[in-house]
């Protein structure tokens, strides 16, 4: 990957990571939603007062990450052995593709908002259970699942690629820890969702999902910093 392409990808991903953490604004503004109990996506629900803002930041994050992933894919890291590049690393290629899927699915998420907040609105929850909510609820569930699947695949593949490329890179050093934490947060979130849907409580669903989303943003920032470091030091 040329230095110019690497820097471009780094800038896009850094901005994408920043936009992907816009939900932390709930600390500063009154949303009416409990961050320990509610889905992050409920902030962007159609009936929420700040829904338009959070849908816009989700759209921005998805577009930036998608652009960064496609830029990275265009010049994926090559492997070096004995001072020469031996070809494109399949881990890097797979990781950039998965990251592009994450970005595209996040864009779709922003265009398929929930109509209401089921974790805090019993009427909304009952309508959702009875299948009386708009089709965007089901579509949102699909796009959200696709986004997180893409994110998990990208975390694993690009962390492996970084370690194969140069173990001095920040992503190579911290990536494995972030991947392990992300899988733990994902397991927590999935268990909490299952408990909620079975009527067995919330299990701090919101806290688990916010940790899950925050770790993805941190990983994106580390990836961006690693790309910038790679470009600055002239590694190819």
């Amino acid at each position: 990957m040329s230095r110019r392409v690497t820097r471009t990808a780094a800038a896009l991903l850094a901005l994408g990571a920043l936009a992907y953490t816009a939900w932390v604004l709930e600390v500063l503004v009154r949303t009416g939603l409990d961050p320990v109990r509610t889905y992050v996506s409920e902030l962007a629900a159609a009936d929420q007062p700040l829904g338009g803002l959070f849908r816009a930041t989700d759209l921005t994050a998805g577009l930036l990450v998608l652009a960064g992933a496609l830029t990275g894919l265009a010049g994926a890291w090559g492997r070096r052995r004995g001072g020469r590049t031996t070809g494109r690393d399949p881990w890097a290629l797979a990781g950039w593709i998965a990251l592009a899927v994450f970005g595209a699915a996040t864009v779709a998420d922003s265009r398929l908002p929930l109509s209401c907040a089921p974790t805090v609105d019993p009427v909304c929850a009952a309508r959702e259970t009875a299948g009386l909510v708009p089709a965007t609820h089901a579509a949102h569930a699909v796009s959200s699942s696709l986004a997180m699947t893409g994110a998990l695949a990208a975390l694993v593949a690009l962390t492996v690629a970084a370690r194969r490329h140069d173990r001095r890179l920040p992503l190579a050093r911290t990536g494995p820890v972030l991947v392990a934490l992300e899988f733990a947060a994902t397991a927590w979130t999935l268990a909490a969702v299952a408990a909620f849907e079975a009527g067995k409580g919330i299990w701090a669903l919101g806290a688990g999902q916010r940790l899950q989303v925050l770790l993805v943003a941190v990983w994106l920032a580390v990836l961006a910093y690693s790309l910038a470091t790679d470009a600055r030091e002239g590694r190819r």
Side-chain angles (χ1 to χ4, degrees):
M1 187 184 297
S2 71
R3 292 186 185 184
R4 181 177 180 181
V5 170
T6 302
R7 291 193 186 101
T8 300
L12 289 168
L13 293 173
L15 291 172
L18 181 62
Y20 198 58
T21 58
W23 55 269
V24 301
L25 290 173
E26 66 183 343
V27 176
L28 303 175
V29 299
R30 186 181 297 277
T31 65
L33 299 177
D34 183 354
V36 176
R37 296 174 55 86
T38 59
Y39 291 107
V40 175
S41 57
E42 287 177 299
L43 292 167
D47 68 344
Q48 294 302 305
L50 296 176
L53 170 64
F54 289 111
R55 289 193 295 274
T57 56
D58 281 348
L59 175 62
T60 301
L63 289 173
L64 286 167
V65 172
L66 176 59
L70 292 177
T71 301
L73 183 61
W77 280 331
R79 292 168 57 189
R80 291 180 65 86
R81 287 183 180 175
R84 64 187 182 87
T85 300
T86 61
R88 294 188 172 186
D89 186 343
W91 285 99
L93 293 174
W96 288 118
I97 291 170
L99 195 59
V101 169
F102 165 70
T106 300
V107 170
D109 250 6
S110 73
R111 303 299 88 193
L112 299 168
L114 301 174
S115 64
C116 52
T119 61
V120 295
D121 184 349
V123 174
C124 177
R127 291 176 59 224
E128 193 172 61
T129 300
L132 300 177
V133 292
T136 51
H137 279 243
H140 184 87
V142 172
S143 60
S144 293
S145 298
L146 186 59
M148 193 48 59
T149 299
L152 290 172
L155 260 71
V156 172
L158 288 176
T159 296
V160 171
R163 290 179 65 82
R164 287 159 61 93
H165 178 67
D166 189 335
R167 293 204 175 203
R168 294 172 295 172
L169 290 172
L171 184 60
R173 299 195 307 270
T174 64
V177 174
L178 290 173
V179 169
L181 290 173
E182 179 62 28
F183 273 91
T186 298
W188 175 6
T189 302
L190 291 176
V193 170
F196 172 67
E197 292 179 347
K200 296 182 179 179
I202 294 293
W203 290 23
L205 188 160
Q209 193 188 39
R210 281 164 176 75
L211 177 60
Q212 182 188 41
V213 172
L214 178 62
L215 287 168
V216 171
V218 170
W219 180 88
L220 282 171
V222 174
L223 171 60
Y225 181 54
S226 294
L227 289 170
T229 300
D230 203 47
R232 184 174 61 252
E233 297 184 3
R235 299 178 192 136
R236 291 288 300 275

